[in-house]
Amino acid sequence: MTLSHAEYQAIANKLRPNGQAFIDGKFCDASDGETFQTTNPATGQVLCSVAHCKAADVDRAVTAARRAFNAGVWSRAEPEARKEVLLKIADLVRDHTHELAVLESLDTGKTINDCMDEIGGEVPKFFQWYAELADKVFGKIAPTGPEALALITKEPAGIAGAVLPWNFPLVMAAWKIAPSLAVGCSAVIKPAEQTPLSTIFLAELMQKAGVPDGVVNIVPGFGETAGKAIGLHNDIDTVSFTGSTEVGRMFMRYSGDSNLKGVGLEMGGKSPFIVLEDALLNDDLIEHAAMSAFWNGGQNCSANMRQLIAAPLVEDFTGRIMDRVKSFKLGDPLDPDTDIGSMITKDHKDMVMNYIQSGIDDGARLLTGGGSDLPGYFIEPTVFQGVAPDMKIAREEIFGPVLGIMPFKTADEALRVASDTDYGLHATVFSQDIDRALHMARSLPCGTVSVNGFSEGDIKTPFGGYKQSGSLARDNGTEALDQYLQTKTIWIQTRAM
Ligand code: NAD
């Protein structure tokens, strides 16, 4: 249920965030007692001191996770028992939606409406969906002659590490925790240093739901310390990472330099939004174009920032999207009337502002946005016209509210420009001709293509990237389970009777 601004503010005033690590079923400090501070990016106010975990703490967490895994309290529990606990987590998240959503909004600068959607909707749905899968992971029997029985079985991979980004903190935690626990893994989770609080709160709920000690461990800390220690740990069997392509590469190296653990990568993007000449240019299309770019202030891996518009539609499209963009309200993320919250940090805001300057320097025309007078790290939604494919703002992931309009003459040209990128996470195509749209969808080298609407799919559909947006691993759908499962063949010699 949506509350008023005053009611959300009242919840915020009462919150007492916990910044401790969660290891072996206990909230605790980092071994060396060090802490760091997490702040509200919309105000700069310090929210809480957080345990600054390093390699020694990751090691404690992995030891606990391995002990729990080997004891079989979770890994060999009846699948129905794991299902019950995961369903209980979903219920507890629903019971605490308002507190968690306010905490998330304070820690990230995201709007309260987005936080309510994510925490009231998506997060519990994830736990519920993977709970329901826990007792449906079947193996196979291979065809053999009468003198053998060949079983192909699925087993939990062991200890799953997860290293998370700051843009959807609790959703990303759920994406990794729910499937890994459903199949029986133990987990060691590092939330992003900018946004650890909702994941730590979740630990409390997971314990209440009955997750045994040691099965889930949360080690807040920085990438160079806790993140790297997870990547290099010799007793972590698989790691699932969501973040930048630059750091994703490091996880491949960490694996090669340690125990060759499995590595699942979900990384950046530079996704196109393609409007073919025959598309119906109506309010619905404009709404999808605006939301694909400015949802979460553009801090979204699948943000459709290269908007490729058929030349005859460019003028109409530009006028209409400008009207929509100018109606977005920037401001206090806890106010339900706010559409766009704050960038995550000052450094991130500065980086986005540098991209905006580079667009201007390269000769693109700034139509609106480009900064903000509000205190905090706000940037108004920004639209550039006349963006050429070789400009920096057309090639690099900006991860902020900067949309570029790129006219094209033919569908082949649109396909060529859209595909000419190192990334391959997402694309949107609008056309009234389903055959043309399908041809585009099949031709684009991306993990997800949405047609006549911007969508990342939902929990049932795998999400991940081609090229440098991902490894072959996928989050979501039944495919996510593969990141956390081993396949074993048991070949039984039998006597033909
Ligand atoms: P980031 O790569 O800087 O950080 C992600 C995580 O990696 C954080 O927990 C961080 O502490 C850790 N990390 C940083 N340096 C590390 C190192 N040297 N060793 C080990 N761990 C390290 O990314 P970010 O800034 O948090 O997130 C933004 C990026 O994430 C964008 O590129 C975005 O596109 C991507 N992203 C992708 C998806 C997806 O599903 N494909 C979803 C959300 C975000």
Side-chain angles (χ1 to χ4, degrees):
M1 188 191 50
T2 308
L3 304 179
S4 67
H5 188 188
E7 287 168 317
Y8 287 126
Q9 192 56 60
I11 294 173
N13 294 341
K14 276 202 212 130
L15 283 176
R16 296 288 170 267
N18 177 3
Q20 286 190 298
F22 182 71
I23 298 176
D24 206 6
K26 288 173 203 67
F27 285 98
C28 57
D29 296 329
S31 313
D32 62 8
E34 270 195 35
T35 59
F36 63 97
Q37 291 182 329
T38 183
T39 54
N40 177 347
T43 62
Q45 181 205 349
V46 173
L47 294 170
C48 176
S49 289
V50 179
H52 184 167
C53 292
K54 307 189 186 67
D57 305 295
V58 169
D59 208 36
R60 281 198 291 151
V62 175
T63 302
R66 178 60 66 191
R67 201 208 59 248
F69 187 81
N70 288 350
V73 283
W74 185 258
S75 55
R76 292 194 297 276
E78 292 291 335
E80 290 81 357
R82 291 202 295 267
K83 173 164 137 176
E84 285 311 310
V85 172
L86 292 173
L87 287 174
K88 186 90 181 115
I89 297 173
D91 286 345
L92 286 168
V93 171
R94 286 194 185 99
D95 292 348
H96 291 82
T97 298
H98 288 116
E99 287 155 274
L100 270 167
V102 169
L103 186 64
E104 192 84 312
S105 177
L106 293 174
D107 210 14
T108 56
K110 287 160 79 83
T111 67
I112 189 65
N113 293 341
D114 280 352
C115 295
M116 285 294 292
D117 286 348
E118 289 162 23
I119 289 164
E122 209 174 331
V123 171
K125 214 186 277 177
F126 266 87
F127 281 102
Q128 191 170 332
W129 202 76
Y130 285 102
E132 297 291 354
L133 272 186
D135 57 357
K136 296 169 192 70
V137 179
F138 292 94
K140 290 192 280 196
I141 297 178
T144 55
E147 294 191 349
L149 176 65
L151 309 178
I152 302 168
T153 63
K154 295 287 178 185
E155 296 184 347
I159 312 304
V163 177
L164 308 177
W166 46 259
N167 57 344
F168 294 92
L170 203 64
V171 170
M172 291 296 128
W175 279 25
K176 313 290 188 190
I177 295 173
S180 60
L181 260 59
V183 298
C185 286
S186 294
V188 176
I189 313 290
K190 190 195 90 60
E193 54 271 33
Q194 300 86 348
T195 57
L197 298 181
S198 57
T199 307
I200 296 173
F201 194 135
L202 180 67
E204 198 180 311
L205 302 183
M206 290 192 286
Q207 186 169 47
K208 255 191 211 153
V211 176
D213 292 353
V215 171
V216 175
N217 305 274
I218 313 290
V219 284
F222 288 79
E224 274 298 319
T225 47
K228 186 172 177 182
I230 288 176
L232 284 172
H233 204 289
N234 278 313
D235 203 24
I236 290 182
D237 300 286
T238 183
V239 66
S240 186
F241 166 79
T242 295
S244 59
T245 296
E246 186 192 351
V247 176
R249 267 181 227 291
M250 294 183 194
F251 275 90
M252 289 281 192
R253 286 192 208 111
Y254 295 152
S255 171
D257 289 345
S258 57
N259 61 342
L260 293 174
K261 59 179 67 60
V263 180
L265 303 175
E266 304 289 351
M267 301 174 290
K270 190 72 189 176
S271 301
F273 184 97
I274 304 168
V275 180
L276 296 180
E277 193 177 338
D278 65 48
L280 195 59
L281 186 44
N282 58 13
D283 289 349
D284 183 58
L285 186 152
I286 293 299
E287 192 59 20
H288 281 278
M291 294 319 294
S292 76
F294 299 119
W295 169 38
N296 209 35
Q299 300 173 120
N300 178 19
C301 52
S302 64
N304 286 184
M305 291 308 191
R306 293 185 296 150
Q307 303 218 335
L308 282 83
I309 314 297
L313 302 180
V314 166
E315 199 180 324
D316 191 14
F317 176 87
T318 305
R320 293 171 76 157
I321 193 119
M322 288 288 290
D323 289 344
R324 179 64 183 104
V325 166
K326 285 181 178 164
S327 74
F328 280 132
K329 186 170 171 252
L330 230 68
D332 182 352
L334 282 187
D335 182 346
D337 287 338
T338 297
D339 299 304
I340 297 186
S342 159
M343 298 287 100
I344 187 72
T345 57
K346 176 172 183 314
D347 282 355
H348 191 68
K349 174 175 176 177
D350 291 347
M351 191 192 75
V352 176
M353 292 303 293
N354 285 339
Y355 274 112
I356 293 174
Q357 190 56 49
S358 98
I360 296 167
D361 294 346
D362 285 348
R365 196 148 73 86
L366 180 67
L367 297 182
T368 185
S372 164
D373 297 335
L374 290 172
Y377 313 131
F378 292 88
I379 299 181
E380 281 169 359
T382 300
V383 178
F384 277 105
Q385 199 184 35
V387 174
D390 58 347
M391 288 180 186
K392 195 169 160 181
I393 57 166
R395 303 207 70 79
E396 296 183 15
E397 183 182 44
I398 300 176
F399 224 59
V402 185
L403 183 167
I405 299 176
M406 306 171 71
F408 66 84
K409 291 204 179 74
T410 66
D412 282 350
E413 180 193 348
L415 188 55
R416 201 171 54 248
V417 172
S419 309
D420 179 22
T421 163
D422 290 337
Y423 294 113
L425 191 58
H426 187 277
T428 304
V429 180
F430 270 79
S431 168
Q432 291 190 79
D433 180 340
I434 191 63
D435 292 324
R436 291 181 83 198
L438 198 53
H439 170 70
M440 283 292 226
R442 287 180 168 145
S443 307
L444 285 160
C446 303
T448 299
V449 182
S450 63
V451 173
N452 291 334
F454 167 75
S455 169
E456 292 183 346
D458 67 13
I459 187 169
K460 303 182 287 301
T461 56
F463 184 76
Y466 282 32
K467 301 203 262 182
Q468 293 180 34
S469 289
S471 57
L472 292 178
R474 292 291 180 263
D475 282 328
N476 305 349
T478 53
E479 284 77 0
L481 300 181
D482 296 339
Q483 289 194 56
Y484 308 105
L485 286 169
Q486 272 285 16
T487 302
K488 179 180 280 179
T489 296
I490 301 178
W491 183 277
I492 305 169
Q493 207 64 46
T494 58
R495 269 190 309 125
M497 305 288 270

